[in-house]
Amino acid sequence: MSGDDWVRITRHWCFTEDRTRVVPETSPLARWLHWKPGDLVKRSEAERLGAVERDQEAEAKKAAPAANKSRTPAHNKRR
């Protein structure tokens, strides 16, 4: 399970009729049980199906390039 971010499910989640997303079991759109409390699910799958919100801050960190902290270009360094 290492390498990916996992979330533990805390409530029952059901597929909708078209199986494109999950909703709480109390929703009138719920059709088929998909996850039960205690299940471990990849965060990417839970986000894709709508069970958890996307972590905007984490996505921004992944997308942002590393800051260049050098004051002068590397080719000007003396050896």
Side-chain angles (χ1 to χ4, degrees), residues 53-65:
E53 298 272 329
R54 293 189 190 275
D55 188 2
Q56 301 295 336
E57 194 172 305
E59 285 185 18
K61 281 185 178 180
K62 288 180 184 176

Side-chain angles (χ1 to χ4, degrees), residues 7 13 43 46-48 50-56 59:
V7 293
W13 288 95
R43 176 173 290 280
E47 288 174 353
R48 181 178 59 82
V52 296
E53 298 272 329
R54 293 189 190 275
D55 188 2
Q56 301 295 336
E59 285 185 18

Side-chain angles (χ1 to χ4, degrees), residues 4-76:
D4 283 325
D5 196 15
W6 295 81
V7 293
R8 185 166 303 276
I9 301 300
T10 58
R11 60 196 291 189
H12 288 95
W13 288 95
C14 298
F15 272 128
T16 56
E17 183 72 33
D18 60 2
R19 297 183 184 210
T20 58
R21 63 189 176 104
V22 291
V23 293
E25 71 175 334
T26 56
S27 170
L29 299 175
R31 293 294 179 261
W32 298 280
L33 180 65
H34 185 52
W35 296 318
K36 61 187 183 308
D39 287 350
L40 279 176
V41 178
K42 285 186 180 182
R43 176 173 290 280
S44 59
E45 181 182 4
E47 288 174 353
R48 181 178 59 82
L49 292 174
V52 296
E53 298 272 329
R54 293 189 190 275
D55 188 2
Q56 301 295 336
E57 194 172 305
E59 285 185 18
K61 281 185 178 180
K62 288 180 184 176
N68 185 0
K69 296 181 181 179
S70 64
R71 295 189 185 272
T72 59
H75 66 289
N76 289 343

